Amino acid sequence: MGSLTRLIVFLSILAAITRKSNSQYLFPITKHEPTNQFYTTFNIGSPTKSPVNLLLDLGTNLTWLNCRKLKSLSSLRLVTCQSSTCKFIPGNGCDGKSCLYKQPNPLGQNPIVTGRVVQDIASISTTDGGKFLSQVSVPRFTFSCAGEKTLEGLPPPVAGVLALSPGSSSFTKQVTSAFNVIPKFSLCLPSSGTGRFYIAGIHYFIPPFNDSSSSIPMTLTPIRGTDSGDYLLLVLNIYVGGSPLKLNPDLLTGGAKLSTVVHYTVLQTDIYNALAQSFTLEAKTMGIFKVPSVAPFKHCFDARTAGKNLRGPNVSVIEIGLPGRIGEVKWGFYGANTVVKVKETVMCLAFIDGGKKPENLMVIGSHQLQDHMLEFDFSGTVLAFSESLLLHNTSCSTWTSKK
């Protein structure tokens, strides 16, 4: 009987582990329209829970926030300098026994400020892929407390920055480690309304993709995480209207950084000029007239001369050639992601000239990422990306009514 009991207990534990490893978590993504920045919301603290809004940043290694925004600090615990938790945080420091973290503001509005590293309970929601289910707790969520001045330049509703970098201290790595789930997260940035942020996502219920048998088509490409906390894609070519740009190959060797805080894609001057020239020539052949520029954009057009379709304004497709499993794959950006309406009758090429010697030759911004499903998989160091959901007459803002 004892052996049978032990077997039953073992099988129960195994079943629990299996169920746990198949868990997935869902967070809302809100677009702050005045600043075009994206943030998510969840609860921190116990027993009094405080909902906090945190800016999504792919380049931050440790979440930081103004702890004065929390309703109760009673469950907040300081992380000691000698702890393994502190030692694994990039850029850590010490103040006596307390662990410190230098908080770089991703919007660059003020100098780096050092804050104390703390832990508290974070409450997040499980999901079936379509709706929020039960609340679960991350018992030792590690983050840093920031001062009021550190928040300068961030959208008013935001209390800090959520770390989504490849580093071991990022929010996503902490959640996947705490629950022993698939080490990946997914973003579906909305062009308006509410989008979705998944951790360990298995199914994504976005109409018409409402079950596992009709999953969103995704393309895989390698992704590299850097020591600075960035995600880089290896770029093979850039195409406009199906034709490759004539570029010095050295301009592509640095790859393309992905960013959720830079809104419009920034390109080194030579890359930008080649792209803008090709796009303008294509526009001319399509009967789309050029008009005076509107800052910060250099190339603008008469919106009335461009037709419309599901993908937005009917303009040339811009594609990035990336390495795939058996050759080059292309990530296409259509009208809604390539141009932006700045006046009632004026639309502009939604790319920025970053100068001759920028820190990064290419930074793909959130305007280009909107309404694409992006899946960052740490287990295989790959990025899975969808084509624009607008092609399927849906978007990241569309929430399923699945029961």
Side-chain angles (χ1 to χ4, degrees):
M1 183 65 70
S3 299
L4 180 58
T5 301
R6 286 194 294 271
L7 177 60
I8 292 173
V9 170
F10 172 77
L11 292 176
S12 298
I13 292 173
L14 183 62
I17 292 173
T18 303
R19 287 195 300 271
K20 202 172 189 180
S21 65
N22 286 333
S23 295
Q24 51 186 336
Y25 310 93
L26 175 63
F27 307 77
I29 297 179
T30 302
K31 182 178 182 181
H32 184 250
E33 294 291 351
T35 61
N36 291 319
Q37 294 296 330
F38 297 88
Y39 63 88
T40 190
T41 307
F42 60 93
N43 289 300
I44 295 178
S46 177
T48 303
K49 295 180 179 180
S50 300
V52 291
N53 299 324
L54 298 175
L55 189 78
L56 298 173
D57 182 26
L58 294 172
T60 292
N61 288 312
L62 182 71
T63 298
W64 58 265
L65 58 107
N66 182 356
C67 292
R68 292 184 179 181
K69 300 289 185 181
L70 302 177
K71 292 180 180 179
S72 173
L73 303 178
S74 61
S75 56
L76 212 62
R77 300 183 300 275
L78 287 172
V79 172
T80 63
C81 188
Q82 298 302 317
S83 66
S84 58
T85 298
C86 184
K87 292 177 181 178
F88 280 109
I89 297 173
N92 66 67
C94 292
D95 179 14
K97 292 184 178 181
S98 299
C99 183
L100 302 178
Y101 173 67
K102 293 181 179 179
Q103 302 144 350
N105 189 315
L107 300 183
Q109 298 295 319
N110 48 55
I112 293 175
V113 178
T114 301
R116 295 185 186 278
V117 179
V118 297
Q119 290 181 327
D120 208 334
I121 295 173
S123 299
I124 62 177
S125 294
T126 61
T127 183
D128 60 354
K131 62 180 181 294
F132 298 104
L133 298 176
S134 59
Q135 288 272 307
V136 294
S137 296
V138 181
R140 289 184 293 275
F141 168 44
T142 305
F143 58 100
S144 175
C145 288
E148 197 75 42
K149 288 186 178 180
T150 318
L151 301 177
E152 292 176 5
L154 299 181
V158 168
V161 176
L162 189 70
L164 301 180
S165 82
S168 60
S169 301
S170 68
F171 177 69
T172 47
K173 287 286 186 71
Q174 288 190 50
V175 172
T176 56
S177 176
F179 296 114
N180 190 29
V181 291
I182 303 170
K184 67 177 181 179
F185 71 95
S186 311
L187 297 174
C188 203
L189 300 180
S191 51
S192 62
T194 303
R196 308 168 187 221
F197 163 32
Y198 294 91
I199 293 182
I202 301 170
H203 305 301
Y204 307 122
F205 293 116
I206 300 176
F209 308 106
N210 284 341
D211 55 61
S212 57
S213 63
S214 60
S215 57
I216 299 172
M218 306 279 271
T219 302
L220 301 180
T221 190
I223 192 166
R224 182 165 63 91
T226 67
D227 293 337
S228 61
D230 295 325
Y231 294 96
L232 292 179
L233 296 178
L234 176 61
V235 178
L236 304 178
N237 290 291
I238 301 175
Y239 302 85
V240 174
S243 299
L245 300 182
K246 295 179 180 179
L247 295 170
N248 182 334
D250 291 342
L251 294 174
L252 301 179
T253 56
K257 172 183 170 180
L258 296 177
S259 176
T260 48
V261 296
V262 172
H263 192 52
Y264 300 106
T265 291
V266 181
L267 303 173
Q268 188 269 355
T269 295
D270 295 331
I271 303 175
Y272 175 83
N273 287 341
L275 177 78
Q277 181 181 24
S278 181
F279 188 87
T280 301
L281 288 174
E282 288 282 326
K284 186 177 180 180
T285 63
M286 298 171 72
I288 302 171
F289 303 137
K290 195 173 180 184
V291 298
S293 61
V294 178
F297 307 105
K298 285 188 172 182
H299 291 77
C300 299
F301 307 88
D302 187 337
R304 296 169 296 184
T305 59
K308 290 186 177 181
N309 51 39
L310 288 176
R311 304 170 293 188
N314 188 24
V315 296
S316 290
V317 180
I318 295 175
E319 297 169 300
I320 300 176
L322 303 166
R325 284 178 170 172
I326 55 174
E328 185 183 74
V329 296
K330 292 181 180 179
W331 188 357
F333 301 105
Y334 298 85
N337 298 106
T338 56
V339 297
V340 58
K341 197 170 185 179
V342 295
K343 294 182 180 179
E344 188 61 36
T345 60
V346 178
M347 64 182 186
C348 298
L349 180 63
F351 292 75
I352 303 293
D353 182 350
K356 291 290 287 185
K357 295 182 178 181
E359 183 178 350
N360 299 98
L361 296 178
M362 288 181 276
V363 180
I364 302 177
S366 59
H367 183 79
Q368 279 65 47
L369 302 181
Q370 288 175 166
D371 292 321
H372 291 83
M373 177 63 77
L374 306 176
E375 186 178 86
F376 298 78
D377 190 339
F378 299 119
S379 63
T381 59
V382 294
L383 173 74
F385 61 89
S386 75
E387 58 188 358
S388 172
L389 296 181
L390 301 179
L391 296 173
H392 300 278
N393 199 25
T394 189
S395 72
C396 290
S397 313
T398 306
W399 284 81
T400 178
S401 58
K402 178 180 179 291
K403 302 298 184 180

